[in-house]
Amino acid sequence: NETSTNLIAGALMFLLRDPEQAEKLRGRPELIPNAVEEALRCETPVQGMWRVTTCDTHLGGTAVPEGSFLMLRYAAANRDPAVFADPEYFDVERPNAREHLSFGKAIHFCPGASLARKEASVAISQMLERFPRLAVTENNDYRHHPSMLLRGLARLELSLD
């Protein structure tokens, strides 16, 4: 559940640091699934995955021999300006938010993707609905756990008032 927990906390961090985005969701809850996709894009819970090349290839003009050990960085691809306009900005209305690679692709697609999306949608919906004055506190430093593979806040302190 660590990746889902990190996704939910990251989504709340982005939403509550930009109250305009949170208000859009409160006023238009049908945007919540897209906001989850945007959180997956911006706060990619699994930063990348290792792969081994099965044949000689070229990647970005660099020769990569068969048997090379690579780490594909989903998080970097999710901020690619060739794919996402203003990629550093969290936008609950981003039209192509679902084009992220946070769950991998094809045979390497995360089997828990549907569950993670549902958990995050329900959690965000309920937090915004039940706590209309929900906010981040000034005590947050927004530090993430030190990990090359997983991304998640060390803590997210919230105020209900």
Side-chain angles (χ1 to χ4, degrees):
N1 74 13
E2 183 177 6
T3 52
S4 294
T5 300
N6 291 341
L7 168 60
I8 293 164
L12 288 172
M13 174 192 70
F14 277 110
L15 288 168
L16 299 176
R17 289 177 77 183
D18 185 347
E20 182 181 310
Q21 295 291 307
E23 284 309 308
K24 281 182 186 179
L25 293 188
R26 284 188 175 102
R28 296 176 52 208
E30 69 275 8
L31 288 174
I32 289 174
N34 202 66
V36 169
E37 300 302 326
E38 183 70 345
L40 284 160
R41 185 190 72 78
C42 288
E43 192 71 358
T44 312
V46 177
Q47 295 284 285
M49 204 53 77
W50 289 271
R51 298 286 180 255
V52 177
T53 57
T54 58
C55 62
D56 292 341
T57 190
H58 285 82
L59 185 61
T62 300
V64 182
E66 178 181 353
S68 295
F69 193 61
L70 305 174
M71 179 177 233
L72 305 179
R73 299 298 292 178
Y74 304 147
N78 289 344
R79 302 259 181 152
D80 184 348
V83 178
F84 301 102
D86 197 7
E88 299 302 314
Y89 179 66
F90 180 88
D91 181 3
V92 299
E93 296 179 286
R94 185 177 298 278
N96 67 335
R98 198 171 174 122
E99 291 179 24
H100 63 79
L101 297 177
S102 298
F103 292 123
K105 280 286 191 196
I107 66 168
H108 297 289
F109 191 76
C110 174
S114 294
L115 179 59
R117 284 177 165 128
K118 184 55 114 177
E119 288 173 327
S121 292
V122 169
I124 292 164
S125 172
Q126 290 299 300
M127 292 293 283
L128 294 176
E129 182 181 323
R130 290 182 183 197
F131 306 108
R133 291 184 301 278
L134 185 67
V136 290
T137 71
E138 292 180 14
N139 298 330
N140 285 296
D141 57 14
Y142 305 107
R143 281 185 303 118
H144 289 75
H145 293 288
S147 173
M148 188 172 96
L149 181 61
L150 300 178
R151 181 166 177 84
L153 291 165
R155 75 183 230 288
L156 182 64
E157 190 173 305
L158 302 175
S159 166
L160 303 179
D161 204 27

